[in-house]
Amino acid sequence: SQTIHQWPATLVQPVGSPLSLECTVEGTSNPNLYWYRQAAGRGLQLLFYSVGIGQISSEVPQNLSASRPQDRQFILSSKKLLLSDSGFYLCAWSVRGTGRSPLHFGNGTRLTVT
Amino acid sequence: TQLLEQSPQFLSIQEGENLTVYCNSSSVFSSLQWYRQEPGEGPVLLVTVVTGGEVKKLKRLTFQFGDARKDSSLHITAAQPGDTGLYLCAGEGNAGNMLTFGGGTRLMVKP
């Protein structure tokens, strides 16, 4: 069965510090991978998605970047965090090529920038 | 840009009551998904509706896709405390497989 791992679960970082959130998927090959951010108790904003190794699409301009060094690994990074980067970050995967494939989410990372 | 509006944003009811959550757009979607999210976890898919007018039932939950595929509803019968959570609708556009999420409905069912 497929599983998705996202870590850390919670993170408190000072303004100006770097960020690295990691997400890995097991049990599937060539997945689409996504990073979403969720405001408190609200909907999801798509930040980045990837259809393959090294292929990253950004949905919104921001202080963050994403990389996909391996087929089932997706990393969200920042060189210098801003207060506005605080939020709940969710990684997700879906089966490539099928638009109706549901998203399978990790359990998220709660990031607080102080 | 396709937008999905969910209503109500918040709903607090007593156990045993019925409720309906709405997901509306001016855009047509090729399919629509409903997710439920519990605190500190990622959303989990409940159902996907594809055909205009389609109705799907999942135990006490009934999902309907509008005839014009611009809106959807989720009806819960005899709500239970275990139904508490954030309900999210997400529509798939005709141009590709990116999902547009609604703002969510936070449901609290009190025992």
Side-chain angles (χ1 to χ4, degrees):
Chain A
S1 63
Q2 302 93 351
T3 56
I4 178 169
H5 303 279
Q6 189 180 340
W7 67 92
T10 59
L11 190 60
V12 180
Q13 292 283 99
V15 168
S17 65
L19 172 74
S20 181
L21 302 182
E22 190 163 343
C23 173
T24 59
V25 180
E26 297 177 358
T28 186
S29 297
N30 305 316
N32 290 334
L33 295 173
Y34 309 82
W35 278 110
Y36 284 88
R37 179 165 57 201
Q38 184 176 31
R42 300 298 292 145
L44 278 63
Q45 179 189 34
L46 179 63
L47 301 176
F48 300 96
Y49 68 93
S50 171
V51 298
I53 296 174
Q55 300 179 61
I56 310 293
S57 296
S58 174
E59 288 295 299
V60 293
Q62 58 209 320
N63 186 42
L64 303 169
S65 62
S67 61
R68 184 171 178 173
Q70 300 180 43
D71 180 48
R72 289 170 289 177
Q73 183 184 27
F74 207 22
I75 298 172
L76 183 68
S77 305
S78 174
K79 292 182 179 178
K80 289 186 178 182
L81 283 169
L82 306 172
L83 286 174
S84 57
D85 291 325
S86 293
F88 191 52
Y89 290 84
L90 288 158
C91 180
W93 71 272
S94 68
V95 175
R96 185 181 300 179
T98 57
R100 292 166 190 165
S101 171
L103 293 174
H104 304 272
F105 287 90
N107 280 335
T109 295
R110 173 78 56 197
L111 172 66
T112 303
V113 182
T114 60
Chain B
T1 302
Q2 296 176 304
L3 296 176
L4 276 169
E5 298 282 344
Q6 279 189 248
S7 61
Q9 291 187 23
F10 303 97
L11 191 55
S12 180
I13 61 172
Q14 292 296 132
E15 181 176 0
E17 293 183 8
N18 301 331
L19 68 117
T20 302
V21 175
Y22 300 93
C23 178
N24 296 301
S25 176
S26 58
S27 303
V28 176
F29 292 97
S30 59
S31 68
L32 198 134
Q33 301 173 6
W34 283 92
Y35 293 80
R36 182 170 71 201
Q37 183 180 20
E38 300 192 15
E41 299 181 6
V44 175
L45 180 74
L46 296 173
V47 77
T48 301
V49 285
V50 177
T51 306
E54 181 177 5
V55 177
K56 281 192 174 179
K57 292 191 174 183
L58 187 65
K59 297 183 180 179
R60 294 174 294 100
L61 279 61
T62 301
F63 304 85
Q64 184 164 8
F65 202 12
D67 292 341
R69 291 185 287 127
K70 293 182 178 181
D71 55 86
S72 181
S73 64
L74 158 60
H75 183 78
I76 301 179
T77 303
Q80 299 178 1
D83 296 326
T84 293
L86 179 68
Y87 289 83
L88 295 159
C89 65
E92 177 203 357
N94 292 320
N97 58 2
M98 290 298 110
L99 289 177
T100 298
F101 278 85
T105 294
R106 181 160 297 282
L107 172 65
M108 177 175 288
V109 182
K110 300 176 182 178

